[in-house]
Amino acid sequence: MNVGVCYAEADRQTWLRLEVPDDSTVQQAIELSGLLAQYPHIDLGKQKVGIFGKLAKLDAPVREGDRVEIYRPITADPNQVKRRRIDG
Amino acid sequence: MIDQINSLLPQTQCGKCGYRGCLPYAEAIAAGKADINRCPPGGEEGIQALADLLGVLPKPLDSACGEHKPRAVATIIEEDCIGCAKCLAACPVDAIIGAAKQMHTVIASECTGCELCIAPCPVDCIEMREIPAESPVLAKRLKPLRAELARSRYELRGLRLAREEAEKAARAREKKAALLLKMQATAKP
């Protein structure tokens, strides 16, 4: 089946399309995509992954058309950012 | 005819015409319900193309819909992003990657510049950045390719959202059926 694997940084974004075996997991799709070779600093032990904006486990199954995504943590403190906006 | 009209629209899916996307606008034009000058991203060139297809006279862009601007893509100011996921829901072509409490990033090559992600952001951390202009020859070649890519991703997103909705409804039905069975079982003497 066809899936996508996507990772994005501020100045470089990659969305790969590939064919994977029907019973593949999120982790297998990532490994098969070769994305980790392009971004060797990705740490799947620390960085969260998901499918189309929803967090998923590495061993979750992928389905036809899914976009597997590797995320980066936010750097802002949500309370600080919100307050700053109210302050103007 | 709808397809022909739609193929002349930029597939930005911005809704500036007052319709939910390029296809609904194309349908409205075909039905004679909408004028041909309501697409700011398409600009004068787009209006001329629609006029030629429909055999009518072109007219200036309706300024109530917005103005024609140079191509730009959305960019997220990372130090302010709180990972709220509101922009993900707003993007008509899945050009933003992110999840709750994770950094959101615009995939620049996929962004149609529709600006729909700007307003929902509660911390105003998305801004439009102009793209350096391409040579006219290159721009002419890339335009239909970009439109085709955006159209297909818009359609795929629509199919995906419909599938998610159907699955949600199916789960709710199952839950209700299970609950009914349980109630019947306990109601028996």
Side-chain angles (χ1 to χ4, degrees):
Chain A
M1 64 183 159
N2 298 295
V3 298
V5 175
C6 185
Y7 180 67
E9 296 180 346
D11 53 1
R12 181 180 167 211
Q13 304 94 32
T14 306
W15 181 356
L16 303 166
R17 276 85 167 174
L18 67 149
E19 217 183 312
V20 297
D22 280 352
D23 55 352
S24 295
T25 62
V26 166
Q27 176 151 12
Q28 284 163 343
I30 293 171
E31 282 166 1
L32 284 168
S33 73
L35 188 98
L36 297 176
Q38 292 185 38
Y39 297 89
H41 52 279
I42 289 177
D43 182 351
L44 289 181
K46 284 185 183 154
Q47 287 174 260
K48 298 201 168 170
V49 298
I51 295 167
F52 274 123
K54 292 191 181 73
L55 293 175
K57 296 219 167 82
L58 281 170
D59 60 2
V62 288
R63 299 196 299 181
E64 170 73 29
D66 277 353
R67 180 170 78 187
V68 172
E69 302 165 337
I70 304 168
Y71 305 118
R72 293 176 294 134
I74 51 171
T75 56
D77 173 349
N79 297 324
Q80 290 291 330
V81 176
K82 269 179 193 160
R83 198 176 308 140
R84 195 167 69 213
R85 195 189 177 200
I86 293 162
D87 288 346
Chain B
M1 185 48 116
I2 293 167
D3 281 347
Q4 274 176 294
I5 297 172
N6 194 30
S7 72
L8 295 178
L9 297 173
Q11 306 303 314
T12 321
Q13 315 300 350
C14 63
K16 292 200 166 87
C17 54
Y19 295 86
R20 281 181 302 103
C22 298
L23 179 60
Y25 178 39
E27 288 166 348
I29 293 175
K33 289 180 189 157
D35 223 330
I36 59 168
N37 63 341
R38 301 185 60 83
C39 175
E44 304 296 333
E45 210 178 301
I47 294 168
Q48 183 66 56
L50 288 170
D52 291 346
L53 173 69
L54 300 168
V56 297
L57 285 173
K59 47 176 87 176
L61 179 67
D62 186 339
S63 58
C65 299
E67 51 173 325
H68 181 69
K69 290 185 258 187
R71 234 164 59 80
V73 295
T75 310
I76 292 175
I77 301 160
E78 299 212 330
E79 54 266 38
D80 289 345
C81 175
I82 55 171
C84 75
K86 291 208 165 80
C87 59
L88 303 178
C91 179
V93 293
D94 287 326
I96 308 179
I97 160 175
K101 292 178 190 154
Q102 303 297 308
M103 184 67 79
H104 301 347
T105 315
V106 177
I107 307 164
S109 61
E110 311 287 325
C111 175
T112 67
C114 73
E115 303 180 354
L116 290 174
C117 55
I118 307 271
C121 177
V123 295
D124 286 336
C125 81
I126 311 180
E127 57 182 26
M128 300 304 295
R129 289 196 189 151
E130 257 184 52
I131 304 168
E134 293 143 348
S135 76
V137 178
L138 186 63
K140 204 176 168 187
R141 278 195 173 183
L142 289 178
K143 212 167 142 183
L145 298 177
R146 278 200 192 102
E148 182 51 34
L149 182 70
R151 190 184 59 80
S152 85
R153 284 208 329 279
Y154 174 72
E155 288 174 3
L156 285 173
R157 177 180 166 85
L159 291 173
R160 174 168 67 80
L161 294 181
R163 190 185 73 184
E164 283 173 7
E165 202 56 41
E167 285 169 356
K168 204 170 140 190
R171 276 198 303 275
R173 273 198 306 276
E174 274 169 29
K175 215 170 157 184
K176 197 174 162 189
L179 199 67
L180 273 174
L181 275 177
K182 206 174 155 190
M183 278 166 66
Q184 282 165 0
T186 48
K188 274 178 193 162

